[in-house]
Amino acid sequence: MSETTAPSADKTQSLWSRWLGRIRLVVLCVLALITLYALYSLRQSNWGEVRDFWMARRFLLFQILLISCCDIALDGLIWLGVLRQQGIRPGIFRGILLYFSVHAALLMPAQLGRAFRSTEVARQCSVPFAVALSTEVLYLGFTAVAALSLFVTALAWVHFSRMAALLPLLLIPLGLGAAQLFQPLLRRMKLFPASYHFLHAATLGLVFASLVNWMINASNLYFVFRELVPTLQLPHAFMISTSNLFVSASSGIPAGFGVAESYMGALFYWLEAPPAHLVPAVLAFRLLTVWIWVPIGWIALGINGILSRWKGDLSVSKAADEEKDLL
């Protein structure tokens, strides 16, 4: 009976994979058509007016960059907090370099940049790769729980009541409680080398910090588009920003390049943003909140490499001196 069940399971899995592949292809095609239509509509736009609009708002772009710095700083603190929970303490300076190293690998597909950072953490902090990788899995899980909580809260705020602002106090513990229940399965999947307390106060604090991080990111989005879309409310920005995470991640494309921009453009076009301003606004937001950190990541990676070689040379020199003393 088990022999007949195994081929059936393989056939079901293959069918699901085929359908998921087709759905993904349809989504990408729809986004591509929306992008092409938006580009076509730009042909009759007054670009002089667009230039004047953004030149008059240079301070706004600087403000967005400052908020993006706050966003990335809090994100780094959350990641370092997860590291400490796993018993990994790289130090402040090296921890900052390791955190930014993932941005150098931002162009790697399917979140493989996280695995790249795990190899760096394992190598430089002398910990097993499984422990370093579990840190990234936890970090992504906390981010997903916070994003989903904020999305549901914003949706309930718009359609039901402002009392929905209290929902994260319920949704985040529920999400972590579900993770606690499924922990044995996660351990069997080799995602966790040991038991982990999801309902610990420190863990709740990290997820709520991630929630604040999402609110900062969404506020940046709101500041960019509030003059272009008069009907835009802050809860709308919360929903767009958080749903963008799942759309980008499900596409498998590095950093959601093209997909995230098309998705945001489609939503703001539906909200009646002026097509002429749409592309510059989306690109400005993505540049100042995502792509600007790629060269910073490469710089951090280079500095880390130099420090590692210097430390290695120092160790070799010290070993040579000790050998001379013995002789």
Side-chain angles (χ1 to χ4, degrees):
M1 182 173 179
S2 60
E3 294 180 356
T4 58
T5 305
S8 176
D10 292 339
K11 185 177 179 181
T12 303
Q13 185 176 2
S14 176
L15 183 64
W16 271 108
S17 300
R18 195 180 309 123
W19 274 107
L20 287 174
R22 289 175 180 175
I23 292 172
R24 179 171 172 268
L25 180 61
V26 169
V27 171
L28 292 176
C29 288
V30 170
L31 291 174
L33 289 174
I34 292 172
T35 303
L36 290 174
Y37 177 75
L39 293 174
Y40 174 77
S41 64
L42 292 176
R43 294 177 58 187
Q44 300 178 349
S45 301
N46 184 352
W47 284 99
E49 181 184 344
V50 174
R51 184 186 63 249
D52 294 340
F53 178 87
W54 287 105
M55 286 298 292
R57 288 159 179 78
R58 292 189 296 271
F59 179 75
L60 172 63
L61 298 179
F62 180 69
Q63 173 187 334
I64 293 165
L65 179 59
L66 287 179
I67 296 176
S68 178
C69 290
C70 296
D71 178 21
I72 209 78
L74 179 56
D75 188 60
L77 289 174
I78 294 168
W79 183 75
L80 288 173
V82 179
L83 275 185
R84 289 181 66 84
Q85 280 195 322
Q86 296 289 83
I88 306 173
R89 290 172 171 79
I92 296 176
F93 184 65
R94 187 173 291 276
I96 291 172
L97 294 177
L98 285 170
Y99 168 74
F100 277 108
S101 65
V102 76
H103 296 277
L106 202 61
L107 297 178
M108 295 179 69
Q111 298 290 333
L112 288 178
R114 309 285 179 185
F116 168 75
R117 183 165 63 182
S118 297
T119 61
E120 290 294 298
V121 171
R123 180 174 64 86
Q124 297 189 34
C125 299
S126 302
V127 297
F129 174 73
V131 176
L133 185 60
S134 68
T135 298
E136 297 295 337
V137 174
L138 282 170
Y139 168 81
L140 287 175
F142 294 166
T143 299
V145 169
L148 185 59
S149 173
L150 185 58
F151 179 86
V152 173
T153 299
L155 185 66
W157 176 293
V158 172
H159 293 286
F160 297 103
S161 169
R162 293 187 177 183
M163 290 296 293
L166 300 175
L167 273 177
L169 299 175
L170 173 65
L171 295 176
I172 288 178
L174 281 177
L176 293 178
Q180 186 72 34
L181 289 176
F182 285 101
Q183 186 176 172
L185 175 62
L186 297 174
R187 285 207 302 271
R188 284 198 294 270
M189 294 170 64
K190 306 299 182 183
L191 294 176
F192 293 98
S195 60
Y196 186 85
H197 299 290
F198 283 98
L199 293 174
H200 194 273
T203 304
L204 284 168
L206 288 172
V207 181
F208 275 105
S210 185
L211 178 74
V212 174
N213 202 39
W214 275 111
M215 293 173 69
I216 293 173
N217 183 272
S219 298
N220 236 348
L221 185 70
Y222 174 74
F223 291 141
V224 173
F225 286 95
R226 62 179 175 177
E227 293 186 50
L228 300 178
V229 185
T231 58
L232 182 67
Q233 301 176 29
L234 194 56
H236 295 150
F238 288 165
M239 287 188 283
I240 293 172
S241 180
T242 51
S243 61
N244 194 26
L245 166 71
F246 299 104
V247 171
S248 300
S250 62
S251 69
I253 296 175
F257 181 72
V259 174
E261 288 81 0
S262 297
Y263 174 73
M264 289 171 57
L267 288 178
F268 282 112
Y269 185 81
W270 177 65
L271 291 171
E272 300 181 351
H277 293 271
L278 192 56
V279 172
V282 170
L283 291 180
F285 174 76
R286 289 284 287 175
L287 176 65
L288 294 174
T289 59
V290 178
W291 298 111
I292 195 174
W293 302 110
V294 174
I296 304 297
W298 279 106
I299 293 171
L301 196 62
I303 295 173
N304 222 344
I306 292 171
L307 290 177
S308 297
R309 284 195 296 272
W310 177 75
K311 185 177 180 181
D313 293 341
L314 190 63
S315 300
V316 171
S317 176
K318 185 177 180 180
D321 291 340
E322 291 176 352
E323 185 176 353
K324 287 180 181 178
D325 293 338
L326 290 175
L327 294 175

